[in-house]
Amino acid sequence: VSVRSSWPFRLALRTVPQAWRASVRQDLADEAGQAWGSAWWCALEALGIALSLHWNFTRAAVMSDLRHAIRSMLHARGFALGAIATFALGIGVNVAVFSAVDRMLFRALPYDRPDGLAVLGQYRVGDAQPYGTLPAAYVVQARRLPAIVDASISTWDADHYRIARDPDGARYLSFVQVSYNLLAVLGVRPVIGHDFTERDARQKQHRLLLSYAVWQRDFAGSPSVIGQVMWDERSSGTAEIVGVLPDDFIPPQIVRPNLSWSGLSVTSDTLDAAGPNDRSTPPFVRLKAGVSLAVAQAQVDGVGQQVEAQQPTPRPGAPQTVVRLVPLRAALFGRYETYLALVFAAATLVLLAGCANLASLLLVRARSREHRTAVQLALGASTGRVIQAAVIEALLLAVSGCAVALVVLQAGNHAIAAWLPPLFSKYAAPVFATRVLVFSSALAALSAVVAGVWPGWRAARVDVLSVLQRGIGRTGTAPLRGSASMLAGEIAVSMVLVACASLTGRSLIGLLRTDVGFDMNRLQFVSAYLPSLPDLVLLRQQYGDMLDTLRTIPGVSAATGADVLPIMGAVDAPMWTGDQQQGQRWSVTDGFVETMGMRLLAGRPISASEVRTVAPVGMLSESGLRLVWPGVAPREAVGRLLEFPAEDPRQVVGVVSDVRGSYAERPWPSLYVPLGSARFRSMFYAVRMAPGRTLSVADVAHALQQRGHAPTLVRVSSVTALFDQGIVDQKFRAELFSCFGAVALLLAVIGLYAIQSFNVALRQMEFGIRISLGAEPHDLWRMLLRQTLRPVVVGVVVGIVVTYWAAQFLQALLVHVDARDLSTYAFVTAVLLAVGVLAAWLPARRAVRTDPAVVLRAQ
Amino acid sequence: MMKDTPILGEVEQLVLLAVLRLEGAAYAVPVRELIQRDAGVRLLRGSVYVTLERLERKRFVESWFSEPTRARGGKARRLFRLRPEGLAALRASRRAVDRLAAGTVAARPEGRRA
């Protein structure tokens, strides 16, 4: 009795056809009493039975509808092709976006029990992003805590190995360095071969685990890959391949998410001891089964005090930090979630526009077939039956569109992968992956229902009597009803997407126009490392000699060096001890201002002799000047003495322009001083080329070797390219939203045009009468324009409201642009109105040219 | 010219036979149980209902509503019995299968050789 009266069962029973309902209820309730007793199971069984019975009843009808839809699609090929192509655009965008964000937004991480994994990171109080490192003692201590099974790390670095022995023209694969126990912590097993062992790490063996993709691509998936060696980039050493990672494995990369990877290599760090100065990347932690994050956090806090006590005293004014455990998933993808959700939402909007477009095309089509529908209704077809036929026709178009989209995406696979920024291409699933296929078919089915129901319902409401009286082949003259709301929706969606495109575009243009404070043209960034020496004076001299050599290379017009170049980003070099991270100090050689192409605002640059003697002089940047002497003009600052705590006074010889490390970064208040040998580590070079000349790695390596230097890892990159890399995401967003906006706009134009031209065709008689009664062409123009623009205006207003609301999320993607800036809204409104006028133009012209005599005679 | 008799489907045969054996007390649950017990075939609940429905439409079986069951809240349930056409179709199907199998290994009881 209890099962019989439970609501899930009662509800499910409602879906069973009337003739069977009582029997099914009785049968299932009887059996529930004996066998399983659960109301939910009864409900499920009832649903299954209902589905079978319904399908049995309607199969014939569905098949006949389908046959009819296919016939009519073949009959009206132009219409079908247009509908399929436009819908393919909408769904294609969605499938592409889904395959790119699925891994990050919806799927579980490909590790064993991913909920039991966390990351231990050091955070500045109030920050959501952890520092790149934390005291290594935390890792050692964490491994011993009772709540934690083990901890493992992935370092900052990657090792580069080539497959061929011969280094000439070899391609290098990069292997992310991890501790030996990473796979054990993640709960992943190699598909062939074995994992790293602790002995590998202790004996400093070079061992590699290959990614599945590289195994397939470069080793043809052969099992004999185990035991093969690869050659190191830096030394002549080799590393042995011990295993292959599973196909769906992704390395957990927190600190350098954009580092490309072809596999893993093992570091010699065994994570069982750490000095007070050692730092480590944030470790991945496996919690014991059933232990909550809070419990583990409490234990970490317990050892935290002990660890902190052994740390060197922090600089005065250093920010407060906390060490926190964060679920691995949040640490990996948390920071992208808003962005990804926004992209996903935008793609959904494009699909909505696609659905509205399909619906409006079907509406037009239904109208031109109203005679047939009227006959069906007169013969006793129900409204549901007419809607069913419309949905099946929509389904046929949607599924065809979806198939077209999938094939096109698969064909353009490589082009898309090259276009996507690393964040997306790294986690993107192939188009024909099961999840992507299931998603796209479900989406196509859903869209078909959304797009088919409304036209079907409108078609079923036809006035049977008047249509039948009129006879076959004569369409009524009443304007098409029910299309305006759909067009308005389509326009609203376009409005939102075009606004997004225009905002991200403006943000990108703004960034590209940013004054970076130096001249990027023909500027090359060169690095070349020498083996470390205990004698810092000698080391400094060797690096200085390399600089002199660079200056002699043909085509080089100027060169300079620095311990760290501003274009590499800020480092832990405060302008003065305890400046609370307000300023930066850069140690540079002579020719710095000239080579970089910075503007000298007053005074002179640091001279060669000052660098040689490491004279107590310096140059301030504009904002550096404001920091130390607010309100002092550049010219007055020259010659003044900088007196910083715990160092000798330093004379300011010049004031230079502010320099940015990337387009989006704010310039650091800076002080440039001569580069001496005290605490010297290495030098990086900036080289300005003569017009039309380029610099290659081979040029540099050759020149240096001729002078007897043996540097490793010679790299040359153009500064322009480095800066472009910094705005890859900005660029991608602007392109992506432009693409979305363009698709939505195109769909809106097609929808508006289709409906309007159909309307004009229906109302020829009316126009004929109006013209013969003396209506002037401009009266007709005005009337038609008004009618087309009405849904456009409604759509624009709705779109503005939605965009204004969405601005709160959009703002995060924008630099130097206000998401609620009025000029954007004005611009987009103008674009959409122009599009509306354009779509109304051709049909209206046809209306104005109506020959009243011809039309009236035809009646 | 011989008239084409429609051959019953496999499930249809099973369900018809079960209805025949249940002698007027046939409804979905015992039909399914009987088929599972004696024929060793496990049918989905849904397909039993669908088959009964189809057989009734072909006029091989007929249904009527029983007296409401005695349990509290019990309602009438649909009971089925074979119509003469059903019996004829069943026989025809059996004959067709037998004729086709005659003289082959399939017609002999298991374990015996010719």
Side-chain angles (χ1 to χ4, degrees):
Chain A
V1 176
S2 64
V3 168
R4 234 178 270 256
S5 54
S6 70
W7 67 264
F9 186 39
R10 282 209 322 247
L11 213 63
L13 271 179
R14 305 276 304 178
T15 62
V16 176
Q18 179 70 48
W20 284 98
R21 204 172 291 162
S23 301
V24 169
R25 175 169 182 267
Q26 204 72 20
D27 293 352
L28 285 176
D30 279 358
E31 238 175 302
Q34 305 150 16
W36 11 264
S38 146
W40 283 104
W41 270 111
C42 275
L44 270 180
E45 284 289 345
L47 277 179
I49 291 167
L51 212 65
S52 315
L53 285 169
H54 278 299
W55 177 236
N56 190 42
F57 286 143
T58 55
R59 185 170 44 194
V62 168
M63 284 305 174
S64 112
D65 281 345
L66 192 62
R67 267 195 301 276
H68 186 265
I70 291 174
R71 261 205 306 275
S72 79
M73 194 167 102
L74 292 177
H75 181 67
R77 266 175 241 133
F79 163 81
L81 280 182
I84 289 173
T86 49
F87 188 74
L89 274 176
I91 201 160
V93 162
N94 272 269
V95 173
V97 166
F98 177 79
S99 68
V101 304
D102 181 31
R103 166 57 76 198
M104 290 181 273
L105 280 184
F106 307 119
R107 287 186 81 166
L109 293 171
Y111 312 131
D112 183 37
R113 289 190 296 116
D115 293 342
L117 289 167
V119 174
L120 190 61
Q122 188 169 29
Y123 293 77
R124 188 206 288 239
V125 172
D127 266 12
Q129 266 309 298
Y131 285 124
T133 61
L134 81 172
Y138 271 108
V139 186
V140 178
Q141 293 295 334
R143 300 185 72 198
R144 298 174 187 156
L145 291 177
I148 288 172
V149 180
D150 203 356
S152 172
I153 58 160
S154 162
T155 75
W156 277 91
D157 286 318
D159 292 320
H160 297 87
Y161 289 95
R162 59 174 190 273
I163 299 169
R165 170 176 236 131
D166 184 10
D168 280 342
R171 194 161 46 88
Y172 285 92
L173 301 177
S174 84
F175 290 80
V176 177
Q177 279 183 6
V178 301
S179 55
Y180 69 92
N181 58 352
L182 180 75
L183 291 196
V185 167
L186 299 179
V188 174
R189 290 224 183 94
V191 282
I192 61 165
H194 57 83
D195 194 0
F196 300 132
T197 62
E198 192 171 348
R199 217 178 55 184
D200 293 340
R202 285 206 190 286
Q203 299 180 345
K204 302 196 188 333
Q205 301 280 356
H206 297 289
R207 299 270 190 257
L208 303 175
L209 281 165
L210 275 187
S211 81
Y212 194 88
V214 169
W215 181 48
Q216 292 295 325
R217 190 189 64 200
D218 293 331
F219 295 91
S222 157
S224 64
V225 70
I226 306 298
Q228 284 195 30
V229 294
M230 292 181 75
W231 279 267
D232 193 349
E233 174 188 48
R234 299 183 209 200
S235 66
S236 52
T238 59
E240 184 190 333
I241 299 169
V242 295
V244 175
L245 294 160
D247 195 9
D248 64 347
F249 181 80
I250 48 171
Q253 287 170 290
I254 309 266
V255 284
R256 294 182 69 188
N258 286 346
L259 195 67
S260 69
W261 74 288
S262 302
L264 306 176
S265 82
V266 64
T267 73
S268 55
D269 189 352
T270 49
L271 313 179
D272 41 17
N277 283 318
D278 292 346
R279 296 189 68 85
S280 158
T281 48
F284 311 109
V285 165
R286 163 71 70 186
L287 303 181
K288 286 227 168 90
V291 171
S292 74
L293 210 59
V295 171
Q297 179 70 57
Q299 295 184 3
V300 169
D301 292 344
V303 296
Q305 290 182 339
Q306 188 190 332
V307 172
E308 294 298 340
Q310 291 163 356
Q311 292 300 299
T313 20
R315 286 189 279 114
Q320 282 291 123
T321 62
V322 286
V323 172
R324 257 202 332 253
L325 271 174
V326 173
L328 179 55
R329 197 189 165 79
L332 273 174
F333 302 134
R335 70 186 112 156
Y336 308 119
E337 259 162 20
T338 314
Y339 171 30
L340 297 177
L342 214 66
V343 169
F344 197 67
T348 311
L349 282 183
V350 176
L351 183 69
L352 267 183
C355 284
N357 198 54
L358 190 62
S360 52
L361 292 179
L362 284 171
L363 205 62
V364 169
R365 190 132 173 80
R367 178 60 184 270
S368 61
R369 288 197 303 221
E370 65 184 356
H371 186 266
R372 216 196 65 205
T373 315
V375 171
Q376 285 175 340
L377 288 169
L379 290 178
S382 64
T383 306
R385 190 71 181 67
V386 175
I387 293 179
Q388 180 186 312
V391 169
I392 285 178
E393 184 165 17
L395 193 65
L396 188 68
L397 293 170
V399 168
S400 315
C402 185
V404 169
L406 286 175
V407 169
V408 169
L409 283 177
Q410 178 64 22
N413 204 359
H414 292 292
I416 295 173
W419 174 55
L420 288 177
L423 172 66
F424 287 96
S425 58
K426 195 157 113 187
Y427 297 119
V431 175
F432 287 124
T434 317
R435 278 175 70 93
V436 179
L437 287 180
V438 168
F439 171 81
S440 33
S441 357
L443 209 58
L446 187 72
S447 316
V449 173
V450 170
V453 167
W454 173 242
W457 190 71
R458 295 273 358 162
R461 300 225 340 190
V462 69
D463 180 0
V464 175
L465 199 59
S466 72
V467 170
L468 289 182
Q469 274 172 348
R470 209 159 48 221
I472 300 177
R474 293 208 170 168
T475 332
T477 50
L480 191 61
R481 299 268 298 272
S483 57
S485 48
M486 231 143 15
L487 288 179
E490 221 172 313
I491 295 288
V493 166
S494 312
M495 170 82 198
V496 174
L497 291 173
V498 174
C500 286
S502 126
L503 285 170
T504 47
R506 277 183 53 198
S507 167
L508 177 69
I509 293 170
L511 274 179
L512 287 172
R513 280 200 192 143
T514 309
D515 178 15
V516 293
F518 67 97
D519 179 11
M520 264 190 267
N521 284 321
R522 306 191 312 276
L523 193 64
Q524 305 277 337
F525 169 62
V526 177
S527 64
Y529 295 94
L530 292 175
S532 191
L533 286 177
D535 183 353
L536 294 184
V537 177
L538 183 62
L539 191 65
R540 164 72 180 87
Q541 197 192 334
Q542 286 179 350
Y543 273 100
D545 289 347
M546 286 212 290
L547 174 59
D548 292 337
T549 309
L550 285 177
R551 285 174 171 154
T552 65
I553 296 176
V556 171
S557 62
T560 187
D563 62 342
V564 173
L565 286 163
I567 49 178
M568 294 165 66
V571 289
D572 191 19
M575 193 189 282
W576 69 89
T577 316
D579 74 348
Q580 304 198 341
Q581 300 195 325
Q582 292 182 72
Q584 282 275 311
R585 175 182 295 204
W586 316 89
S587 302
V588 301
T589 68
D590 55 303
F592 187 78
V593 174
E594 301 87 328
T595 310
M596 293 289 287
M598 290 154 73
R599 290 186 302 279
L600 193 62
L601 304 176
R604 59 170 177 83
I606 297 173
S607 72
S609 64
E610 278 162 345
V611 173
R612 206 176 311 119
T613 57
V614 201
V617 295
M619 299 181 294
L620 281 169
S621 74
E622 265 180 287
S623 54
L625 174 61
R626 277 199 297 276
L627 176 65
V628 290
W629 296 312
V632 172
R635 207 171 308 137
E636 293 165 29
V638 174
R640 280 220 208 176
L641 285 181
L642 284 166
E643 293 182 35
F644 291 137
E647 67 178 293
D648 293 335
R650 188 178 285 279
Q651 191 183 28
V652 174
V653 295
V655 177
V656 293
S657 54
D658 276 330
V659 169
R660 287 171 201 264
S662 70
Y663 283 117
E665 221 169 83
R666 71 182 175 86
W668 281 97
S670 299
L671 172 68
Y672 302 92
V673 300
L675 174 58
S677 58
R679 286 191 290 171
F680 180 82
R681 280 179 304 195
S682 67
M683 199 192 286
F684 296 94
Y685 308 102
V687 173
R688 167 91 47 198
M689 302 303 295
R693 304 297 290 262
T694 52
L695 191 65
S696 72
V697 176
D699 292 340
V700 175
H702 182 69
L704 291 177
Q705 270 159 15
Q706 271 197 334
R707 296 290 184 92
H709 301 294
T712 56
L713 266 180
V714 177
R715 294 241 162 95
V716 176
S717 30
S718 105
V719 173
T720 319
L722 288 178
F723 267 61
D724 282 348
Q725 254 170 40
I727 52 165
V728 158
D729 274 333
Q730 297 281 345
K731 220 170 173 171
F732 173 69
R733 277 169 213 167
E735 287 168 358
L736 186 75
F737 281 110
S738 305
C739 172
F740 286 179
V743 170
L745 215 53
L746 180 69
L747 290 175
V749 172
I750 291 173
L752 274 174
Y753 175 78
I755 300 254
Q756 196 59 14
S757 50
F758 190 73
N759 256 333
V760 166
L762 285 181
R763 292 164 62 190
Q764 282 227 310
M765 166 97 151
E766 177 199 331
F767 297 138
I769 293 172
R770 280 178 191 268
I771 292 173
S772 57
L773 289 181
E776 293 292 318
H778 68 258
D779 295 326
L780 287 184
W781 273 114
R782 209 176 306 147
M783 183 182 77
L784 281 169
L785 218 54
R786 206 171 46 226
Q787 286 168 357
T788 315
L789 287 186
R790 201 175 299 141
V792 175
V793 170
V794 172
V796 164
V797 171
V798 173
I800 287 179
V801 172
V802 174
T803 315
Y804 195 82
W805 169 80
Q808 50 185 322
F809 311 109
L810 263 175
Q811 192 63 56
L813 306 185
L814 304 175
V815 183
H816 312 317
V817 175
D818 180 9
R820 289 187 170 151
D821 178 40
L822 275 183
S823 59
T824 310
Y825 292 64
F827 167 74
V828 179
T829 305
V831 167
L832 283 168
L833 287 179
V835 161
V837 171
L838 198 72
W841 191 269
L842 288 176
R845 204 174 58 171
R846 213 175 314 138
V848 171
R849 286 184 183 168
T850 307
D851 184 344
V854 174
V855 178
L856 295 177
R857 206 180 305 133
Q859 289 296 315
Chain B
M1 202 179 88
M2 206 178 128
K3 200 185 129 200
D4 278 353
T5 359
I7 303 268
L8 291 169
E10 188 186 339
V11 180
E12 285 175 335
Q13 270 196 57
L14 291 174
V15 172
L16 268 186
L17 284 168
V19 171
L20 185 63
R21 286 194 38 188
L22 286 165
E23 289 176 352
Y27 62 96
V29 176
V31 165
R32 184 163 170 264
E33 278 167 1
L34 193 66
I35 292 174
Q36 187 169 350
R37 202 189 67 199
D38 288 356
V41 176
R42 196 181 166 81
L43 293 178
L44 282 177
R45 250 173 262 279
S47 54
V48 176
Y49 288 103
V50 166
T51 313
L52 284 172
E53 173 79 33
R54 198 182 307 139
L55 289 171
E56 189 177 25
R57 225 183 283 173
K58 289 183 180 171
R59 305 184 57 77
F60 290 162
V61 296
E62 59 190 358
S63 70
W64 74 98
F65 282 91
S66 71
E67 295 295 305
T69 51
R70 261 171 300 163
R72 193 152 62 86
K75 291 228 171 98
R77 103 182 346 136
R78 252 168 112 179
L79 293 175
F80 290 84
R81 67 172 159 244
L82 228 60
R83 283 171 51 92
E85 291 92 329
L87 196 59
L90 204 50
R91 284 190 179 133
S93 286
R94 295 278 310 170
R95 266 205 307 277
V97 172
D98 287 346
R99 267 202 306 275
L100 211 55
T104 68
V105 198
R108 274 171 229 126
E110 265 178 88
R112 289 233 199 118
R113 300 202 154 258

